[in-house]
Amino acid sequence: MTVGDLKAAPVNLGGVRAGTNQRTLRRDAWWRNPLATVLFLTAFVVYSTWAVFQNGYYYVGTAAHRDLISPFYSPCITGSCLPGTTGSLVLHWWMISPGILILGGPLSFRLTCYYYRKAYYRSFWQSPPACGVADGHSAYSGETRFPLILQNLHRYTWFIALIFAVINVIDAIMAFRLPGDGGIGLSVGTLVLCANATLLSLYTISCHYCRHFCGGNLRRFSKHPIRYRLWKLATPLNARHMELAWVSLVVVALADLYIRLVASGVFNDPKIL
Ligand code: FES
């Protein structure tokens, strides 16, 4: 088959290639990426849902000489929070899992992320599954109607994500506290929370909206040197947004799992320094 043949075979939305019964003329394993996306995102959704509903084992505190809180439960601001986790803002009336209360913030950011949209539209919605593969649906209204029009809120969810990134950085700093075990120190749990805070911050800064926020709508960078510097900082990270989206997602789940295993007594958090 030549390139000329491919050009002569237009894609019909929701249908087959003209003159054939195939959805695509591609012979490579184009289905691998959508399949991997389905498997990874499903695994994450199942694990995180279980974790936030479990309402326990999300904090390793003074009794274990540590100050480690799961990112799924931070900030813990409800009346049902475990002792030692609660900040000054307490919603006393909220008595179910505090993880459910804060879930909406990070979830709204990831769900409306431009990269994740592409990933789950392709994999779950088959719209289209891959380049050169016919769409799984016969009609396409884009993001012009409810509920997909809500994707346009992404620019606002970025500010929410920024708050969560700062909170995760504070949690990572607090994790250097080893109460009753030398005061300040370093444990594997500290490194886990530092890795999580770093990756979450990089993912947030690499957001397409962040790059636009830094350097968009300007006629001349020369008149806005600070915004130009911020834009220069965000641009190379933006080029790695896809990788940061995946790595930060995996690490936030691993951070929760690590703290859950330590808190439930499966193993102790090893002290390094
Ligand atoms: S585009 Fe992915 S987080 Fe903004």
Side-chain angles (χ1 to χ4, degrees), residues 89-112:
L89 177 64
V90 179
L91 305 178
H92 289 288
W93 48 269
W94 185 278
M95 293 314 289
I96 57 174
S97 174
I100 299 171
L101 184 67
I102 61 163
L103 186 66
L107 186 66
S108 64
F109 184 56
R110 296 231 182 218
L111 209 58
T112 58

Side-chain angles (χ1 to χ4, degrees), residues 109 113-115 154 203 207-209 241:
F109 184 56
C113 162
Y114 295 115
Y115 168 68
H154 185 65
Y203 170 59
C207 169
H208 297 300
Y209 175 69
H241 190 57

Side-chain angles (χ1 to χ4, degrees), residues 5 11 14 18 24 32 41 58 68-69 83 100 105 130 148-149 162-164 172 174 179 198 247 252 257 264-265:
D5 293 332
V11 174
T24 182
R32 263 203 311 232
L41 287 184
Y58 55 83
L68 308 171
I69 185 166
I100 299 171
L148 292 185
I149 198 167
L162 207 54
I163 294 170
F164 276 90
M174 295 302 283
T198 304
V247 178
V252 74
L257 180 65
S264 57

Side-chain angles (χ1 to χ4, degrees), residues 44 47-48 71-72 196 247-258:
F44 180 81
Y47 174 77
S48 56
F72 285 173
N196 172 63
V247 178
S248 63
L249 191 76
V250 170
V251 170
V252 74
L254 289 179
D256 176 86
L257 180 65
Y258 183 84

